[in-house]
Amino acid sequence: MAGFITRPVVTGRKGVVTSGHYLATAAGFRIMENGGNAIDAAAAMCIAVDLMEPQSCGIGGEVPTLVYSAEEGKVFAISGLGWSPKAFTVDWCKENDIDLIPGDGYLPITVPAVVGTWAEAVARWGTKSFSEILAPSIDLAENGFANYEGLHGSLAGGYRKFTELYPSTGEVYYPNGQVPEVGDLVRNPDYAEMLRIMSRAEEAAKGKGRVAGIEAARDAFYKGEIAERILEFVTNNPIEDATGKAHTALLSYDDMAEWQPVVEEPTMTEYRGLEVYKCSTWTQGPVFLQQLNLLEGYDLASMGHNSSEYIHTLVEASKLAFADREAYYGDPDFDDVPLDTLLSKEYAAERRALIGETASMEQRPGDIGRGFPDYVLEDVAQNNRRALGVSESELVDLGLSHAHVSDTTHLDAIDAAGNMVSATPSGGWIGSSPVIRGLGLSLGTRGQMFYLNPDRPNALEPRKRPRATLTPSMVTKNGEPWMAFGTPGGDSQDQITLQFLLNYVDFGMNMQEAVDAPTFYSTHFPSSFYPRKAFPGQFDIEDRVSDEVVDELTDRGHSVNRVDPWSNGKVMGIRYDKERGTMYAGTSPRREVAYSFGW
């Protein structure tokens, strides 16, 4: 029998949806009630959550996505990540005295990927028009939604920035010059109008069929009025960034018009009879699979849940997997990523032998026959030296403090046919890029994740995808849909969701118990975010784990940082039980507003 859980396990037989805001979840379920499938519902939830969690994501950002097509019996990855501008190069950075790409402003912006991703998904696997999918968000943007603690805190903390540095943001979120209180209606009429532009374009192509209409809506964003407004604003309104200088954007019309999302094969490993899928190395997703391969060699249940032995083992496994991320991951269209080796069971067995009884303090990527990747240690040292000159107050002003891990959100959907979606919207948040007048959106700054060393993976190149932290997860069993899940949390995502899956599979918890359980994550390796600092031997743990366990971990050499008891991530997950004809969902109570619904 389950112990206390913060919320019920939501069940349904027609469909189950979950997202980072309950009104976005409601928008997705409305689409399902009106005959849409899981892909239609996921698209509606994303457009809505991009409106209602602007401190965490935006339609000008990214959304890596996994789709299980029931008709095809297969998992697909959609590269919901825009490329860097053609004009933004390592040489340009050298000529302009930039040795680390800033985390804010216009230099790190990439092509907005959200609209194109959902246009591709809905055209290929959905049933609805784009206008139907946009309708709930037009209503919410025009007529308002109630402000809540998370958004209120972001708007209150950013008041000076959003009125002085980013005044166009203040015009939207402080309509009376004051921070809206919790419960006040927040409206973004420009966002509604931006969505209407796409709806009108679709209506004009009405006689050409559903897919042609969706393409017309997409083109309005990337080739028409919306693209023109974006480019006019970012090229004529220079913004000061973390370099201390003001820059305009290097993004061009061709960068926008020529970008397309890519539908591709996901990466996969098997764990205890399950097939676990992630996006490829244009995200950090394969570290999840590498950790599973390492942990498969242990009887985790016998260690005891969140015992010192269990936590130590997971933290040490994460250090090894993330060291490989730093050494080898990058956009596979540009970088030669040895993924077959990294995901092999033989490689995992070799690496598993490195996990000892005490905490490791070194970055230890594997030698895959190319020689030791010295650039990993060099980059760690260089980034930590730079970070000494960046104060925590400066990072807070930039929206890039340690609390940055709250940025990003997640959503999942599944329908009675077994179609399943897992997507992680992020970027385009208001904290690091101003709202574009007339459109109500901000642009993503994902390009900060590129390195400027041209001899290593994930180095800046024109039209390249930065290696993102965004990382949806999907699981099948014998090829049938089984589970989809994800969380916000930056670099911690593939550690926190790993614990969720292990809670369910190895410890037999139900969906809600699995998301409620206390979590921890290592910060041993370099952060993906400016100024990219590493904290050797350190990990954060929610302060619901006993003093005895923390003391034992300290004795093993770990630097344990206790954090608020309900602060790590915000896991959401859905489970498909084909035998019973039912679906389940669990949603974390962390950060207040995520919720699931089913019928």
Side-chain angles (χ1 to χ4, degrees):
M1 182 176 178
F4 171 77
I5 54 177
T6 59
R7 293 172 173 179
V9 175
V10 169
T11 62
R13 58 185 174 82
K14 294 183 178 180
V16 167
V17 288
T18 184
S19 82
H21 193 289
Y22 54 85
L23 289 176
T25 299
F29 200 77
R30 277 174 57 187
I31 296 293
M32 274 195 177
E33 284 189 310
N34 291 328
N37 64 14
I39 293 86
D40 300 316
M45 287 193 290
C46 185
I47 303 301
V49 83
D50 281 340
L51 166 71
M52 291 180 293
E53 288 193 272
Q55 76 279 21
S56 299
C57 60
I59 201 169
E62 308 89 35
V63 58
T65 300
L66 294 169
V67 174
Y68 178 88
S69 166
E71 182 177 349
E72 296 166 88
K74 185 177 178 181
V75 177
F76 297 88
I78 310 177
S79 174
L81 185 62
W83 58 26
S84 58
K86 193 173 184 178
F88 193 37
T89 65
V90 171
D91 287 342
W92 187 95
C93 291
K94 287 180 180 178
E95 292 165 5
N96 289 273
D97 298 321
I98 293 169
D99 64 353
L100 183 66
I101 298 172
D104 63 332
Y106 290 145
L107 291 182
I109 63 175
T110 52
V111 172
V114 174
V115 170
T117 298
W118 293 117
E120 179 70 28
V122 172
R124 181 162 177 171
W125 296 293
T127 67
K128 292 293 185 181
S129 70
F130 225 52
S131 298
E132 289 174 293
I133 284 161
L134 300 179
S137 295
I138 292 173
D139 182 357
L140 289 163
E142 204 159 57
N143 298 310
F145 60 93
N147 197 16
Y148 54 94
E149 290 288 352
L151 179 53
H152 175 266
S154 180
L155 295 177
Y159 185 82
R160 182 182 65 82
K161 181 177 189 176
F162 297 152
T163 53
E164 297 176 12
L165 187 61
Y166 296 171
S168 58
T169 303
E171 291 164 12
V172 173
Y173 292 101
Y174 314 128
N176 301 315
Q178 302 294 321
V179 177
E181 296 297 329
V182 172
D184 288 348
L185 288 179
V186 177
R187 296 182 175 88
N188 190 340
D190 288 345
Y191 192 94
E193 175 56 22
M194 182 260 300
L195 299 183
R196 288 189 193 281
I197 292 170
M198 288 188 277
S199 294
R200 289 194 292 268
E202 183 177 53
E203 178 65 21
K206 188 176 182 180
K208 299 178 182 179
R210 187 182 74 91
V211 172
I214 293 170
E215 292 172 348
R218 179 200 62 203
D219 287 349
F221 190 94
Y222 291 97
K223 300 177 181 180
E225 182 179 348
I226 297 171
E228 291 167 358
R229 289 193 189 184
I230 289 173
L231 294 167
E232 189 279 331
F233 189 87
V234 300
T235 55
N236 293 306
N237 293 280
I239 291 294
E240 183 179 340
D241 55 41
T243 67
K245 299 177 182 177
H247 294 99
T248 56
L250 297 175
L251 192 69
S252 72
Y253 179 85
D254 287 346
D255 292 325
M256 291 278 291
E258 294 172 12
W259 177 82
Q260 291 279 354
V262 179
V263 177
E264 60 188 30
E265 293 288 328
T267 59
M268 187 273 285
T269 197
E270 293 184 357
Y271 180 77
R272 310 217 195 282
L274 303 169
E275 304 96 34
V276 185
Y277 293 90
K278 302 291 287 188
C279 297
S280 189
T281 54
W282 48 273
T283 72
Q284 69 176 5
V287 297
F288 189 95
L289 309 181
Q290 287 195 246
Q291 289 173 99
L292 286 178
N293 287 344
L294 289 164
L295 296 170
E296 192 174 38
Y298 295 94
D299 182 354
L300 298 176
S302 71
M303 295 179 181
H305 184 259
N306 278 358
S307 67
S308 59
E309 182 182 9
Y310 175 75
I311 294 172
H312 168 77
T313 302
L314 263 64
V315 167
E316 293 303 300
S318 74
K319 291 176 184 177
L320 294 174
F322 279 85
D324 282 345
R325 182 194 77 169
E326 289 304 299
Y328 301 115
Y329 289 19
D331 183 343
D333 289 346
F334 290 77
D335 298 324
D336 180 14
V337 184
L339 204 53
D340 288 345
T341 298
L342 297 175
L343 294 182
S344 72
K345 301 294 186 179
E346 294 78 14
Y347 180 76
E350 293 174 9
R351 299 281 280 162
R352 191 181 301 123
L354 296 175
I355 298 177
E357 293 299 315
T358 59
S360 61
M361 292 293 159
E362 300 174 347
Q363 305 293 332
R364 298 187 291 177
D367 184 345
I368 59 164
R370 302 178 181 177
F372 186 79
D374 292 320
Y375 51 78
V376 173
L377 304 184
E378 293 166 1
D379 288 338
V380 170
Q382 187 178 39
N383 290 341
N384 279 9
R385 284 195 297 271
R386 288 195 195 96
L388 292 174
V390 183
S391 70
E392 182 66 15
S393 62
E394 287 175 300
L395 291 178
V396 170
D397 286 344
L398 294 170
L400 300 169
S401 69
H402 188 65
H404 184 87
V405 296
S406 66
D407 294 335
T408 304
T409 190
H410 186 74
L411 61 92
D412 302 297
I414 192 165
D415 60 35
N419 295 300
M420 189 162 62
V421 180
S422 180
T424 305
S426 188
W429 51 63
I430 57 176
S432 55
S433 179
V435 169
I436 295 172
R437 286 192 180 93
L439 297 178
L441 63 86
S442 300
L443 295 178
T445 54
R446 194 62 52 181
Q448 67 183 284
M449 296 181 175
F450 284 122
Y451 281 95
L452 294 178
N453 174 359
D455 299 324
R456 58 155 296 147
N458 195 36
L460 174 64
E461 294 184 61
R463 301 281 177 92
K464 184 176 182 179
R465 295 171 291 185
R467 188 213 69 216
T469 52
L470 314 174
T471 175
S473 304
M474 190 166 283
V475 183
T476 62
K477 187 173 184 178
N478 299 321
E480 300 281 356
W482 200 78
M483 184 181 280
F485 55 94
T487 184
D491 294 295
S492 73
Q493 289 177 39
D494 281 314
Q495 300 178 69
I496 292 172
T497 52
L498 174 71
Q499 292 160 58
F500 162 75
L501 183 64
L502 298 177
N503 290 346
Y504 190 86
V505 173
D506 288 72
F507 292 94
M509 298 182 189
N510 69 35
M511 293 290 285
Q512 193 60 39
E513 286 179 300
V515 300
D516 282 350
T519 58
F520 51 90
Y521 65 92
S522 173
T523 55
H524 172 83
F525 45 84
S527 169
S528 296
F529 298 93
Y530 178 91
R532 307 185 73 109
K533 189 173 182 181
F535 297 87
Q538 181 172 304
F539 69 89
D540 288 8
I541 192 166
E542 289 184 334
D543 200 9
R544 289 182 282 146
V545 175
S546 71
D547 292 341
E548 180 183 2
V549 167
V550 171
D551 289 344
E552 290 172 358
L553 289 163
T554 302
D555 289 343
R556 286 178 180 261
H558 296 282
S559 175
V560 184
N561 180 38
R562 290 179 179 268
V563 296
D564 290 344
W566 295 89
S567 58
N568 289 346
K570 187 171 73 173
V571 175
M572 293 154 249
I574 56 176
R575 164 83 165 86
Y576 185 68
D577 189 334
K578 184 179 180 181
E579 292 180 3
R580 297 181 180 180
T582 53
M583 291 152 267
Y584 310 92
T587 306
S588 174
R590 297 166 179 86
R591 302 191 177 95
E592 182 187 8
V593 290
Y595 230 86
S596 307
F597 194 71
W599 190 259

